[in-house]
Amino acid sequence: MRVAGIDEAGKGPVIGPMCIGGVLTEKEKLSSLKNLGVTDSKKLTPKKREHLAHQIRKYAQKVYILEISPGQIDELRKVMTMNQIMVLGFSRVLEELQPDMAYVDAADVNATRFGEKLKAQYSKKYPEKARSFAIISEHRADAVYPVVSAASIVAKVRRDELIKELKNKIGIDFGSGYPSDPKTRLFLKNWTREHGALPDFVRHSWKTAENVLK
């Protein structure tokens, strides 16, 4: 049986893309992922995450990371909620991995509802397969299921890489990119003051961005 784990990194930041990671493995090899020491990516140091991401690719049958740019997020938010975007994104990863069952870190306050919506979205493309397809959708799944922990790690490592590239490109350290980060907020204010507009790597539809423009 082919089992997938899916999790995201970067749902909340005002700067940079969101990465949805998917890891596919045989059920018999789930213990191998656990033995690597995978856990919730937020509990690991960047160096440990990078090491594990490399190891995960050795043990996984397939790893897929969907990158959704700030511009794409802004466009989608004109016609749907962030939760609906998460359903679409997770479904896209499922379509790529083609597992027999999946464990996902629920991106909705109602974990069961998220799983049901994800299955419904997946069934639009694969109606036959969806009939016997099981999705286990839980909050904090990345702390419980090693295959979701693995997905969380590869997604986080990829987002960190993209943020590092962005900082090097513009030559400014804007912090974490999260609205709660004073360094990020100061960067947005200074950039807008200097350029008269927000850069394209910022999510313009975020309240933080709108407030800066005001």
Side-chain angles (χ1 to χ4, degrees), residues 65-189:
I65 302 169
L66 177 69
E67 297 170 17
I68 307 177
S69 72
Q72 289 172 319
I73 290 171
D74 288 338
E75 282 304 306
L76 288 168
R77 272 168 60 86
K78 291 176 182 176
V79 293
M80 63 180 71
T81 65
M82 199 62 195
N83 280 355
Q84 288 173 311
I85 294 172
M86 302 305 290
V87 169
L88 284 178
F90 275 51
S91 181
R92 179 71 188 84
V93 174
L94 278 180
E95 290 166 18
E96 193 71 30
L97 297 180
Q98 289 289 296
D100 298 309
M101 73 171 296
Y103 293 90
V104 303
D105 196 0
D108 185 335
V109 291
N110 186 324
T112 302
R113 177 175 63 194
F114 183 75
E116 289 169 352
K117 286 186 174 181
L118 179 54
K119 186 170 181 176
Q121 180 65 35
Y122 182 68
S123 69
K124 289 178 183 178
K125 194 160 187 178
Y126 298 101
E128 290 295 323
K129 195 162 190 176
R131 287 196 185 100
S132 58
F133 184 64
I135 294 178
I136 311 300
S137 172
E138 294 181 14
H139 294 127
R140 308 289 297 120
D142 55 344
V144 179
Y145 304 105
V147 72
V148 183
S149 302
S152 167
I153 289 166
V154 297
K156 176 66 174 158
V157 167
R158 181 56 184 152
R159 176 172 153 87
D160 285 351
E161 284 174 357
L162 293 169
I163 292 300
K164 188 176 179 180
E165 287 172 11
L166 185 52
K167 288 178 180 178
N168 289 337
K169 183 180 177 182
I170 64 173
I172 304 171
D173 180 3
F174 49 72
S176 66
Y178 279 81
S180 58
D181 189 340
K183 202 170 187 177
T184 299
R185 293 201 303 271
L186 181 62
F187 163 77
L188 293 174
K189 287 176 185 173

